[in-house]
């Protein structure tokens, strides 16, 4: 009797609006709701780190014992125009005032007018080829070149290519000072130094903006950097270790031990500390 009443109750429920189960002992299945997955966020683009700059050594110069490049570190001030108004004849020689030459650096940090020489190890040795004669000329109220080298005892030829008065005043510490005038165009005079000295300053007392530097060494193993910062010390050094030093008007000296092998070596230098 109890079982019949339960079945009747189930039958009544099946006729209503709230159906739990009808005609089956299994519970009704819940409706399946389809959920659309949200689109995946795009992956952030990761930039690969830039490769570190690779330092490329200078190529050896054919026929040179030691060669390389001299650079400067840090910012360099813009070169200034030389004021020649004190002598109208000097100003008249230039359409635009020339720039000073104390620190001349290109866009890549290569520095001109650095004097590079073998400081130790070249005693008693000579280059395989004689260097060019040492000449300093006065042109346009300006010394050419700004820096040069000379061997002890060799002639330094001093020329005046300007049609006006210059005087040449050398200010050495270890050699004999000289000071003389060249009042007209075409005059030449020779001088020599008796002992090594790096460097000797030369100036003109008539035109105070004029200055130059001379490196005096007791051998021929030296060079001056060009506008590209490159130098080439003449050939003739036997294989071995040498101390090479770089002098520059605006920076403190730097030096390094260099091994010459097979008659040649490459040595690059960087100047960082300015002279006070």
């Amino acid at each position: 009797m109890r079982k019949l009443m339960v079945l009747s109750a189930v039958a009544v429920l099946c006729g209503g609006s709230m159906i739990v189960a009808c005609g089956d002992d299994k519970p009704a299945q819940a409706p399946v709701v389809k959920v659309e997955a949200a689109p995946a966020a795009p992956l952030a683009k990761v930039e690969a780190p830039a490769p570190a700059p690779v330092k490329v050594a200078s190529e050896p110069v054919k026929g040179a014992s030691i060669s390389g490049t001299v650079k400067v570190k840090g910012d360099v001030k813009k070169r200034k125009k030389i004021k020649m108004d004190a002598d109208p004849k000097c100003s008249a020689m230039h359409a635009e005032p020339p720039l000073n030459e104390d620190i001349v650096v290109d866009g890549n940090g290569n520095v001109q007018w650095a004097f590079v020489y073998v400081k130790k190890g070249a005693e008693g040795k000579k280059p395989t080829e004689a260097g060019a004669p040492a000449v300093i000329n006065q042109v346009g109220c300006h010394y050419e070149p700004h820096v040069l080298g000379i061997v002890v005892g060799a002639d330094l030829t001093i020329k005046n290519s300007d049609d006006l008065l210059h005087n040449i005043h050398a200010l050495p510490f270890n050699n004999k000072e000289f000071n003389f005038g060249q009042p007209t165009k075409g005059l030449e005079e020779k001088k020599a130094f008796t002992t090594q000295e790096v460097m000797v300053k030369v100036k003109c007392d008539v035109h105070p903006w004029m200055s130059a530097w001379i490196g005096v060494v007791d051998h021929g193993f030296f060079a001056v950097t060009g506008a590209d910062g490159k130098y080439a010390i003449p050939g003739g050094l036997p294989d071995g270790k040498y101390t090479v030093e770089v002098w520059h008007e605006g920076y403190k000296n730097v030096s390094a031990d260099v091994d010459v092998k097979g008659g040649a070596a490459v040595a690059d230098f960087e100047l960082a500390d300015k002279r006070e």
Side-chain angles (χ1 to χ4, degrees):
M1 186 68 177
R2 184 183 297 274
K3 183 175 181 181
L4 180 61
M5 291 175 65
V6 171
L7 291 174
S8 298
V10 171
V12 172
L13 288 172
C14 286
S17 60
M18 295 180 64
I19 301 176
V20 177
C22 288
D24 197 344
D25 293 339
K26 297 181 180 179
Q29 298 292 323
V32 177
V33 179
K34 186 177 181 181
V35 179
E36 295 291 341
L43 295 176
K45 185 178 180 181
V46 179
E47 297 289 346
V54 178
K55 183 179 180 181
V56 180
S58 300
E59 292 293 327
V61 174
K62 184 177 180 181
S65 290
I66 304 172
S67 58
T69 303
V70 181
K71 293 179 175 287
V72 297
K73 183 179 180 180
D75 296 332
V76 177
K77 292 182 179 180
K78 186 177 180 180
R79 294 170 64 189
K80 295 181 179 180
K81 295 180 180 180
I82 299 174
K83 295 181 179 180
M84 297 184 175
D85 299 341
D87 191 332
K89 290 184 178 179
C90 292
S91 297
M93 296 179 187
H94 304 274
E96 290 290 333
L99 302 177
N100 61 23
E101 295 185 299
D102 55 344
I103 301 179
V104 182
V105 180
D106 69 11
N108 296 315
N110 303 309
V111 62
Q112 188 176 13
W113 303 128
F115 184 73
V116 189
Y117 70 106
V118 178
K119 185 176 182 179
K120 185 178 179 181
E123 297 83 357
K125 300 177 178 63
K126 292 184 178 181
T128 50
E129 295 183 6
V135 178
I136 186 167
N137 196 3
Q138 296 155 110
V139 183
C141 298
H142 170 264
Y143 284 121
E144 292 183 358
H146 185 64
V147 176
L148 71 154
I150 190 171
V151 178
V152 171
D155 285 337
L156 170 66
T157 301
I158 302 167
K159 301 170 63 176
N160 183 11
S161 294
D162 290 338
D163 194 13
L164 50 80
L165 170 66
H166 289 300
N167 83 296
I168 301 88
H169 189 180
L171 301 168
F173 291 95
N174 302 327
N175 286 276
K176 186 177 180 180
E177 180 179 359
F178 59 80
N179 185 4
F180 61 91
Q182 288 184 326
T184 57
K185 183 177 181 178
L187 291 178
E188 292 187 11
E189 189 158 341
K190 296 184 185 297
K191 293 290 182 180
F193 299 95
T194 58
T195 188
Q196 178 164 305
E197 186 170 354
V198 180
M199 303 284 286
V200 176
K201 184 175 182 177
V202 177
K203 69 172 186 173
C204 176
D205 296 322
V206 179
H207 306 105
W209 61 82
M210 293 178 61
S211 66
W213 297 88
I214 303 172
V216 185
V217 293
D218 54 12
H219 53 69
F221 297 102
F222 60 82
V224 178
T225 57
D228 57 0
K230 296 185 182 300
Y231 73 92
I233 293 175
L237 284 175
D239 287 1
K241 182 173 287 188
Y242 300 88
T243 299
V244 178
E245 185 163 87
V246 179
W247 174 94
H248 187 275
E249 179 178 358
Y251 293 84
K252 293 181 180 180
N253 294 12
V254 297
S255 60
D257 290 334
V258 179
D259 286 319
V260 174
K261 296 180 180 179
V266 172
D268 295 331
F269 294 89
E270 184 178 71
L271 306 176
D273 298 326
K274 291 185 178 181
R275 295 185 185 274
E276 297 177 356

